[in-house]
Amino acid sequence: MGVAVVTGAGSGIGREVARALAEAGWSVALAGRRRGPLEETAEGLADGRTLCVPTDVTSPEEVAALFDAVRDRFGRVDLLFNNAGTFAGGGTPVEELAYDTWRAVVDVNLTGAFLCAQAAFRAMKEQSPQGGRIINNGSISAHVPRPHSIAYTATKHAMTGLTRSLSLDGRPYRIACGQIDIGNAATEMTARMGTGILQANGELAAEPVMDAADVAATVVHMAALPLEANVQFATVMATAMPYIGRG
């Protein structure tokens, strides 16, 4: 298949996608802050086709080292799943959100995504054969917010601009870029949805979730397309979650 880099690969969606790509025949570099969770993700996968690289995506130096390590090990980069993110500050009213929290969310969700995309773009432009694919993890919040989620929502809207610009700028170099917007996949982050989460009308309500493996299957499909074809935007969500309609 090729060589994939997955950020935020130590848990949640990143772990599911990394494992699904490896099982589909990709060589996969797993990036995340801590080595232990990355090695847990890699456990049981094909020997010699995974690489664990502890990486802080907000650091230009560490991101550069990640992609250097991938090229040293596998020779090229064919896919980036730009997934690392944080929901820090979620649930905090806008007037109470600390500047440091806002900045931390922007640094990870937006600047981190840019740094990884930039490094992948450079590698894909320089390598032979030229080209590759970047898939950005947007979120349902790239379309509509939840209450008290201003930092997360703003960065996920910005992710859409990142996707569009990368898609346009990558055309001359056979670099495709698309975005997957995910709603209510069952992960550690969404565990509280089963007991009740704040709705736009101020009420608490339990929400349905879907299996994160279904998200991973969608990413694997997007990744497997020839570079002449691209899923520009895909929304994968729990069917009955309060997104379409009035709630």
Side-chain angles (χ1 to χ4, degrees), residues 169-193:
D169 293 346
R171 285 180 186 174
Y173 312 110
R174 299 187 76 242
I175 299 172
C177 183
Q179 179 169 314
I180 183 167
D181 297 324
I182 302 164
N184 289 18
T187 66
E188 300 93 330
M189 184 183 291
T190 61
R192 59 198 175 96
M193 290 181 177

Side-chain angles (χ1 to χ4, degrees), residues 86-215:
T86 178
F87 194 64
T92 303
V94 60
E95 70 273 17
E96 298 176 12
L97 186 69
Y99 170 78
D100 287 347
T101 303
W102 165 269
R103 183 59 184 268
V105 176
V106 172
D107 285 350
V108 174
N109 291 6
L110 181 56
T111 303
F114 161 73
L115 290 173
C116 291
Q118 183 185 53
F121 195 102
R122 286 171 174 160
M124 292 169 181
K125 180 180 176 181
E126 294 168 1
Q127 65 197 11
S128 181
Q130 192 179 61
R133 188 182 308 275
I134 298 168
I135 301 174
N136 290 326
N137 186 347
S139 170
I140 291 291
S141 292
H143 303 273
V144 293
R146 286 189 179 278
H148 307 321
S149 67
I150 192 164
Y152 184 79
T153 296
T155 57
K156 291 305 183 179
H157 273 70
M159 184 72 89
T160 300
L162 191 73
T163 297
R164 293 182 186 278
S165 286
L166 288 166
S167 187
L168 178 60
D169 293 346
R171 285 180 186 174
Y173 312 110
R174 299 187 76 242
I175 299 172
C177 183
Q179 179 169 314
I180 183 167
D181 297 324
I182 302 164
N184 289 18
T187 66
E188 300 93 330
M189 184 183 291
T190 61
R192 59 198 175 96
M193 290 181 177
T195 57
I197 191 167
L198 185 64
Q199 304 295 305
N201 63 1
E203 295 179 356
L204 292 176
E207 293 187 13
V209 297
M210 62 176 171
D211 195 320
D214 296 323
V215 177

Side-chain angles (χ1 to χ4, degrees), residues 9 15 19 30 36-47 50-52:
R15 172 171 286 179
R19 294 186 65 87
L30 313 173
L38 298 178
E39 291 178 345
E40 290 174 11
T41 298
E43 188 175 348
L45 299 179
D47 290 340
T50 58
L51 174 67
C52 296

